Amino acid sequence: MSATITVNRAHRPSLTPPMALDVSLKPYTCIKLDNGVPVYFMHADHYETIFLDIVFPAGEIYASQVLEASATNALMKSGTSRHSAREIDETIEFYGAYLDAYTESQVAGYGIYMLSKHLPALLPVLFEILTDPLFPDEEIRLYQQTKKQQLRINLKKSDVVADRLMDEMLYGSTHPYGRSEQESDYDALHRDMLKAFHRRHYVLPAAKIFLAGKIEDRFLDLLNQYFGHPADQSFSLQATVPPPASAANHQLKHIIDEKALQAAVRVARVLPGYGSADYNLLSLLNVVLGGYFGSRLMSNIREEKGYTYGIHSIVYPYDAQYASWLITAEVGREVAQATIQEIYHECHRLMEEPIPEEELMMVKNYLIGTLLGRLDGPVQQIKKWRSLILRSQDEADYARQIHTFKTATGEQLLDVARRYLRPEWFYEVVVF
């Protein structure tokens, strides 16, 4: 007979604040295929699904032309020597899987979510996409037409234009982190360009594989069968990111519609990347400034001034050297400049006085709670490991970040604010 548990609902149960909880990663297992490709995986018997991600050094930094990396990645699934784009799509749909093609600044690849029992049927399809894309001319033309139409629509949106202009101001129009596509870039795409980029960068021994879910032993054998082949040719994949060529003028106003009532406001600067000793403190300071609903910017510009429904701040790392600190808001056109002044006002406050302990503790609890939510389950765990491994980091680096978030003092954040929040280092874009 089971014991009876009595709950007194007149008293609130005790709560453990996130700061008191352990934030750590579960260990992964790593094997190597016959060609040396590492497979990082986390097994979970209670899952019926699998997440498989195959990553290549084929990101934007390797592209000599705009769209070279992203178009190659997007069009790889548009037909192989054995299957058309339609047949590939129908197979993925038949098995209820989701295929995600992505291009990031450093890497590109394909992730697939599926029931574990369907991996033997879908792995050959993924192998074809990654190793045998045809880039049919008719699919390229369709891609060009669709993307140019999307671009025309997007260039009428103030938020999209503001983001493009800010990236260009921060890094320069030819920099991998600052360049934006034009219609002429889509027109310049051709089959030989895409095949050449694929041949150079989607080389099997250069891949990294991440896997999570219900993993049978035979699945690892299947991965080796398909992705354990040696390279057909020698490869050397090195890319040097040039320093930013930031604009001399720190302020830009761009008009799309003279009658527009709303303006997109962007305030940003270049920061050191995740390789910097200051990066973790900057990430915490960003949350205080504009990284959650109770932030300084939200309290002032939304709650007190009523200029916007939302204002947000993010530190976006491109690599170990460079990151962007970006503040974004959509506001009434007549209060765009007032919004920028209030942003700087909040920056000055962070440079002039330490963050009160009560506020800092609330931010820490929010941030730790958010990080815990991102580690819920094997898929989220392996994605975090993916992020660390692709950055050449390990569990110790993650532990140091958590330690910084938990122990940082108001004085430490005051010091980092004084070194990075001076208004003359920021760029401003207003688009309406």
Side-chain angles (χ1 to χ4, degrees), residues 147-383:
K147 288 295 186 178
K148 286 195 292 184
Q149 181 62 30
Q150 290 176 354
L151 180 61
R152 293 181 194 118
I153 294 171
N154 285 335
L155 291 181
K156 297 178 182 178
K157 299 177 181 178
S158 58
D159 58 337
V160 174
V161 174
D163 290 336
R164 288 163 59 98
L165 291 173
M166 179 56 78
D167 288 342
E168 184 176 331
M169 289 183 74
L170 292 179
Y171 294 98
S173 60
T174 61
H175 194 281
Y177 305 154
R179 59 194 178 193
S180 298
E181 77 276 18
Q182 309 296 332
E183 283 197 43
S184 59
D185 296 314
Y186 287 107
D187 292 332
L189 293 174
H190 56 86
R191 187 168 180 262
D192 289 343
M193 174 201 296
L194 304 180
K195 286 184 71 68
F197 188 86
H198 174 268
R199 185 170 56 252
R200 290 194 305 271
H201 296 284
Y202 288 86
V203 182
L204 284 183
K208 289 181 172 65
I209 298 177
F210 300 88
L211 184 66
K214 190 173 184 179
I215 304 167
E216 300 177 23
D217 290 340
R218 66 189 179 111
F219 292 172
L220 300 176
D221 293 333
L222 284 171
L223 281 174
N224 190 55
Q225 176 184 331
Y226 284 101
F227 294 98
H229 302 292
D232 294 332
Q233 76 280 348
S234 60
F235 61 95
S236 177
L237 300 174
Q238 298 292 329
T240 301
V241 178
S246 301
N249 183 8
H250 282 234
Q251 298 174 331
L252 177 63
K253 181 171 75 173
H254 182 84
I255 300 173
I256 299 173
D257 181 1
E258 286 281 5
K259 298 179 181 180
L261 300 178
Q262 185 166 288
V265 172
R266 302 291 185 267
V267 177
R269 62 156 298 178
V270 176
L271 288 177
Y274 53 76
S276 167
D278 292 328
Y279 181 78
N280 293 332
L281 285 171
L282 285 166
S283 298
L284 179 58
L285 184 64
N286 171 73
V287 179
V288 176
L289 178 63
Y292 76 118
F293 193 79
S295 69
R296 298 278 183 97
L297 292 177
M298 286 288 278
S299 297
N300 179 343
I301 296 170
R302 173 193 156 100
E303 300 300 326
E304 182 181 334
K305 301 294 190 305
Y307 290 166
T308 181
Y309 285 111
I311 181 167
H312 309 282
S313 176
I314 184 173
V315 172
Y316 181 81
Y318 286 102
D319 57 35
Q321 290 181 287
Y322 304 116
S324 292
W325 197 339
L326 178 63
I327 300 167
T328 69
E330 319 303 315
V331 304
R333 176 176 171 178
E334 72 281 358
V335 296
Q337 287 305 128
T339 298
I340 292 173
Q341 292 309 308
E342 291 302 323
I343 290 171
Y344 290 139
H345 170 70
E346 294 302 334
C347 291
H348 277 297
R349 286 183 60 207
L350 290 170
M351 290 189 289
E352 291 170 355
E353 56 192 26
I355 300 164
E357 185 61 32
E358 182 179 357
E359 179 187 3
L360 184 54
M361 184 58 66
M362 179 174 65
V363 169
K364 289 179 176 181
N365 275 309
Y366 165 81
L367 184 54
I368 295 299
T370 301
L371 293 175
L372 283 167
R374 293 174 183 169
L375 299 179
D376 185 19
V379 172
Q380 293 299 93
Q381 289 265 341
I382 203 67
K383 284 184 176 182

Side-chain angles (χ1 to χ4, degrees), residues 28 54 62 88 96 130 139 156 198 273 278 294 341 387 393 402:
Y28 61 79
I54 303 182
Y62 295 98
I88 291 172
L130 293 172
E139 294 291 341
K156 297 178 182 178
H198 174 268
D278 292 328
Q341 292 309 308
S387 176
Q393 294 180 332
I402 299 301

